[in-house]
């Protein structure tokens, strides 16, 4: 950023601060009546951690939001679609970890505090002052942009409110914001920051969208009926909705699923709800609450929601019952884990309750009764059955798969088929079940390759695709004694293919402010066609130089600093050399005379 832009940004931020002050004063009276409706907050220190931006709490995404393969581990704080806001230490402490990645959290920093908690700040644009200097020296010493450094002893100390960096959009972030977490040092669990009093002002009630009925007459759960909660089906009294019709349900064990949303700042922006509960005839049978969880539990999102429904409809139905394979500790339930039987043909009452952290709630009453003339559901599936607790395997002449115990959340009727290969395959295509079944752990897969010249064997890898996809993706893997083996994370159609194409390297000139704010930089676009970029480096007149790598934009950026100045002052001719290698060892290098 040049000084003129900087001045302009600075002015805008000053104006912003003044408006925030006015809002703060206006809200003080309202806030006096504002109470947090949770008991749990009493266990956590209040007012210890400050909001890490110089603004009122404003969330893009709350704690525990339902994401692909994980619950959101922190809160995303709004930075008005812009980068460069000072990120402030939430409390006194020291820098306990710095992690820089081209994906995921991007430029992240961890602060350890004396009260037993660590705060985490992700997707930064850059770091500040002594922290930035330390990082710059470390990157040059190790000749690497990406690193993960844990500090056992305090070297870089911070005071509450100190600027530690600037908000950005680095790593996997898809829009400028600050990702913020509070973790317990002992258990390493991530805790809802609202429990520490960090939450936005919110008076908007959550809303129900859909309820689904499950039936367990056959030993696999699936949705047997679903009801949209549109206006003409609801008797409305604002906080309590009553569904107009009595719903008839099946024989045997039943259970529910709901689609519901919370809103924080406006009625359009759908957020994940903090808590929901279900009672049957006033007896509490199932409760869910997003207070805290551990990182190794986060993938249970795929059994918390109806995974197949999500894959097919892009709608997340949250189950009001617990699958046997679900071990994340977010629930309270009766001995049937939320499933229930109706013993008579009377009408019974289901009561759903959803609420946000601020105590705004909505209730939904649904009357149900057992169907008189029941159609018995029968399991006609003749496929091989895989049970969750077993080690499940398949071994054929040209393919082997091995699935560790506890990879499934539920019984799986395993679907396997051998299909003809294509021009790009070095094996048959194997249909390994389908992508609607989630996996908790990676599974091992080996496929025998058709004969390939020795020099190409190291370039072989596995590819996979979904039934509905035109393009196939790399599953990685290596060749050994005729077989290509990989660890795969999802089911689909697999085959052996080859990657002999080196990554491309091009200089690009970026004027789009959204991508790069700094004009005093060189930008190099590097792309790989298939296996993905494994290694990269940049040299200026034969000396390694630091280039930021932003994987989502395939972009390397060199921001001019004192090393560049030294070379320019010495009036040497500039030579920028980029070297990139993909995961199959295909290497490219290119020299630019910028
Ligand atoms: Zn986040």
């Amino acid at each position: 950023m040049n000084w003129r832009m900087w001045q302009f940004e600075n002015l805008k931020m000053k104006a912003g601060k003044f408006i925030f002050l006015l809002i703060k004063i206006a809200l003080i009276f309202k806030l006096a009546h504002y109470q947090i409706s949770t008991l749990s907050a009493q266990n956590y220190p209040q007012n210890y951690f400050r909001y890490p931006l110089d603004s009122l709490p404003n969330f893009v995404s709350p704690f525990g939001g339902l994401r692909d393969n994980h619950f959101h581990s922190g809160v995303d704080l709004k930075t008005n679609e812009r980068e460069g806001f000072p990120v402030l230490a939430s409390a006194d402490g020291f820098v306990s970890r710095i992690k820089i990645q081209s994906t995921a959290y991007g430029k992240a920093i961890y602060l350890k505090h004396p009260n037993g908690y660590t705060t985490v700040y992700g997707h930064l644009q850059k770091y500040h002052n002594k922290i930035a200097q330390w990082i710059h020296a470390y990157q040059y010493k190790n000749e690497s942009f990406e690193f993960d450094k844990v500090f056992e002893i305090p070297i870089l100390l911070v005071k509450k409110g100190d600027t530690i960096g600037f908000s950005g959009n680095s790593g996997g972030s898809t829009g400028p914001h600050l990702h913020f977490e509070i973790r317990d040092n002992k258990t390493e669990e991530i805790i809802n920051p609202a429990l520490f009093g960090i939450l936005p002002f919110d008076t908007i009630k959550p809303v129900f969208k859909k309820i689904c009925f499950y039936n367990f007459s056959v030993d696999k759960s699936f949705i047997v009926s679903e009801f949209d909660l549109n206006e003409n089906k609801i008797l409305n009294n604002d906080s309590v909705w009553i569904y107009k019709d009595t719903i008839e349900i099946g024989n045997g064990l039943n259970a529910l699923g709901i689609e519901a949303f919370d809103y924080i700042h406006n009625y359009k922006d759908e957020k994940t709800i903090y808590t929901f509960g279900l009672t049957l005839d006033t007896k509490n049978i199932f409760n869910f609450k997003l207070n805290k969880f551990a990182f190794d539990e986060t993938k249970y999102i795929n059994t918390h929601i109806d995974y197949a429904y999500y894959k097919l409809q892009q709608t997340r139905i949250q189950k009001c019952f617990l699958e046997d394979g679900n071990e994340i500790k977010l629930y309270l339930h009766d001995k049937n884990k939320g499933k229930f039987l109706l013993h008579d043909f009377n009408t019974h009452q289901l009561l759903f309750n959803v609420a946000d952290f601020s105590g705004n709630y909505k209730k939904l009453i649904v009357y149900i009764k057992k169907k008189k003339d029941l159609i018995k559901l029968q399991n006609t599936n003749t496929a091989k059955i895989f049970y969750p607790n077993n080690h499940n395997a398949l071994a054929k002449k040209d393919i082997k798969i091995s699935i560790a115990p506890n990879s499934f959340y539920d019984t799986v009727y395993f679907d396997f088929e051998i299909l003809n290969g294509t021009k790009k395959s070095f094996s048959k295509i194997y249909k390994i079940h389908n992508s609607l079944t989630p996996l908790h752990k990676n599974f091992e897969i080996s496929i025998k390759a058709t004969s390939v010249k020795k020099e190409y064997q190291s370039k072989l890898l596995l590819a996979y695709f979904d039934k509905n996809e035109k393009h196939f993706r790399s599953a990685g893997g290596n060749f050994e004694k005729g077989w290509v083996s990989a660890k795969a994370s999802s089911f689909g159609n697999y085959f052996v293919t080859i990657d002999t194409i080196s990554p491309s390297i091009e200089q690009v000139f970026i004027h789009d402010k959204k991508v790069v704010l700094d004009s005093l930089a060189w930008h190099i676009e590097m792309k790989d066609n298939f296996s993905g970029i494994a290694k990269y480096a940049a040299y200026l007149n034969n000396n390694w130089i630091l280039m930021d790598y932003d994987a989502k934009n395939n972009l390397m950026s060199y921001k001019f600093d004192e090393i560049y100045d030294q070379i320019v002052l010495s009036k040497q001719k500039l030579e920028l050399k980029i070297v990139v290698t993909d995961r199959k060892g295909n290497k490219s290098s290119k020299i630019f005379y910028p």
Side-chain angles (χ1 to χ4, degrees), residues 179-327:
H179 174 90
F180 178 66
E181 288 177 19
I182 303 179
R183 297 186 189 178
D184 185 320
N185 290 348
K186 272 202 200 104
T187 63
E188 291 187 350
E189 284 170 317
I190 325 118
I191 302 165
N192 190 340
L195 292 163
F196 297 85
I198 295 178
L199 77 165
F201 186 72
D202 175 7
T203 56
I204 307 178
K205 293 175 193 301
V207 161
F208 291 98
K209 285 275 165 87
K210 191 183 281 241
I211 52 168
C212 298
F213 285 82
Y214 288 78
N215 188 275
F216 301 85
S217 298
V218 290
D219 71 342
K220 219 183 127 43
S221 63
F222 56 89
I223 293 172
V224 287
S225 55
E226 55 182 83
F227 301 88
D228 286 327
L229 301 164
N230 53 34
E231 275 170 36
N232 49 21
K233 282 286 181 190
I234 298 296
L235 299 169
N236 194 343
N237 101 347
D238 197 27
S239 292
V240 184
W241 285 1
I242 300 171
Y243 192 74
K244 271 184 178 174
D245 307 332
T246 299
I247 295 171
E248 292 195 315
I249 65 163
N251 203 9
L253 277 176
N254 290 279
L256 273 305
I258 56 162
E259 187 195 10
F261 293 105
D262 187 32
Y263 306 89
I264 301 176
H265 306 286
N266 62 62
Y267 288 93
K268 277 180 230 142
D269 197 2
E270 291 171 343
K271 319 276 190 201
T272 298
I273 43 178
Y274 167 62
T275 180
F276 64 82
L278 176 62
T279 63
L280 173 64
D281 299 329
T282 71
K283 200 177 143 264
N284 222 321
I285 61 171
F286 191 79
N287 274 294
F288 165 81
K289 195 177 263 186
L290 275 167
N291 275 346
K292 59 178 182 178
F293 58 88
F295 274 99
D296 61 2
E297 296 174 332
T298 198
K299 217 178 172 187
Y300 289 112
I301 179 77
N302 291 338
T303 176
H304 171 77
I305 62 161
D306 190 307
Y307 188 81
Y309 196 100
Y310 173 59
K311 284 273 159 180
L312 295 168
Q313 319 257 355
Q314 270 72 55
T315 294
R316 291 185 173 100
I317 302 295
Q318 304 196 62
K319 294 173 186 170
C320 302
F321 64 96
L322 199 63
E323 298 277 14
D324 291 339
N326 186 356
E327 289 180 22

Side-chain angles (χ1 to χ4, degrees), residues 122-135:
H123 309 306
L124 301 183
Q125 181 192 52
K126 56 186 177 185
Y127 299 89
H128 189 49
N129 255 348
K130 59 183 180 184
I131 298 168
Q133 285 158 17
W134 188 95
I135 291 168

Side-chain angles (χ1 to χ4, degrees), residues 249-423:
I249 65 163
N251 203 9
L253 277 176
N254 290 279
L256 273 305
I258 56 162
E259 187 195 10
F261 293 105
D262 187 32
Y263 306 89
I264 301 176
H265 306 286
N266 62 62
Y267 288 93
K268 277 180 230 142
D269 197 2
E270 291 171 343
K271 319 276 190 201
T272 298
I273 43 178
Y274 167 62
T275 180
F276 64 82
L278 176 62
T279 63
L280 173 64
D281 299 329
T282 71
K283 200 177 143 264
N284 222 321
I285 61 171
F286 191 79
N287 274 294
F288 165 81
K289 195 177 263 186
L290 275 167
N291 275 346
K292 59 178 182 178
F293 58 88
F295 274 99
D296 61 2
E297 296 174 332
T298 198
K299 217 178 172 187
Y300 289 112
I301 179 77
N302 291 338
T303 176
H304 171 77
I305 62 161
D306 190 307
Y307 188 81
Y309 196 100
Y310 173 59
K311 284 273 159 180
L312 295 168
Q313 319 257 355
Q314 270 72 55
T315 294
R316 291 185 173 100
I317 302 295
Q318 304 196 62
K319 294 173 186 170
C320 302
F321 64 96
L322 199 63
E323 298 277 14
D324 291 339
N326 186 356
E327 289 180 22
I328 190 167
K329 294 175 234 32
L330 298 172
Y331 313 99
L332 277 174
H333 51 76
D334 65 354
K335 66 177 195 310
N336 293 323
K337 300 183 175 180
K339 297 172 189 171
F340 60 90
L341 273 170
L342 294 187
H343 297 285
D344 52 46
F345 292 99
N346 300 334
T347 300
H348 296 266
Q349 191 205 60
L350 290 170
L351 172 69
F352 298 87
N353 187 1
V354 300
D356 63 24
F357 199 93
S358 305
N360 304 301
Y361 69 90
K362 188 143 283 173
K363 290 181 180 182
L364 169 71
I365 293 169
V366 179
Y367 294 103
I368 54 167
K369 66 180 183 191
K370 195 153 90 172
K371 240 182 229 165
K372 281 246 164 72
D373 41 3
L374 288 164
I375 307 153
K376 217 172 185 172
L377 290 165
Q378 251 180 5
N379 179 21
T380 53
N381 210 324
T382 54
K384 194 172 178 171
I385 300 176
F386 281 179
Y387 293 103
N389 296 334
N390 294 0
H391 173 250
N392 295 296
L394 180 100
K396 304 264 179 197
K397 195 166 81 76
D398 294 333
I399 179 160
K400 288 182 277 191
I401 66 165
S402 168
I403 305 164
N406 307 318
S407 292
F408 298 125
Y409 306 112
D410 196 3
T411 305
V412 169
Y413 297 89
F414 197 72
D415 192 3
F416 174 78
E417 220 179 305
I418 303 174
L419 310 165
N420 287 327
T422 67
K423 260 188 233 160

Side-chain angles (χ1 to χ4, degrees), residues 79-135:
T79 56
N80 299 327
E81 285 88 48
R82 289 193 293 127
E83 300 187 21
F85 289 99
V87 172
L88 314 173
S90 196
D92 290 1
F94 69 90
V95 177
S96 58
R97 186 177 179 186
I98 295 167
K99 191 172 184 179
I100 297 181
Q101 290 169 281
S102 62
T103 57
Y105 284 38
K107 293 180 184 174
I109 185 164
Y110 297 57
L111 303 181
K112 205 171 219 172
H113 307 286
N115 68 339
Y117 297 100
T118 294
T119 50
V120 182
Y121 312 76
H123 309 306
L124 301 183
Q125 181 192 52
K126 56 186 177 185
Y127 299 89
H128 189 49
N129 255 348
K130 59 183 180 184
I131 298 168
Q133 285 158 17
W134 188 95
I135 291 168

Side-chain angles (χ1 to χ4, degrees), residues 54-69:
D54 190 15
S55 54
L56 279 178
N58 195 333
F59 287 13
V60 184
S61 179
F63 180 79
L66 310 175
R67 304 263 177 104
D68 281 359
N69 295 312

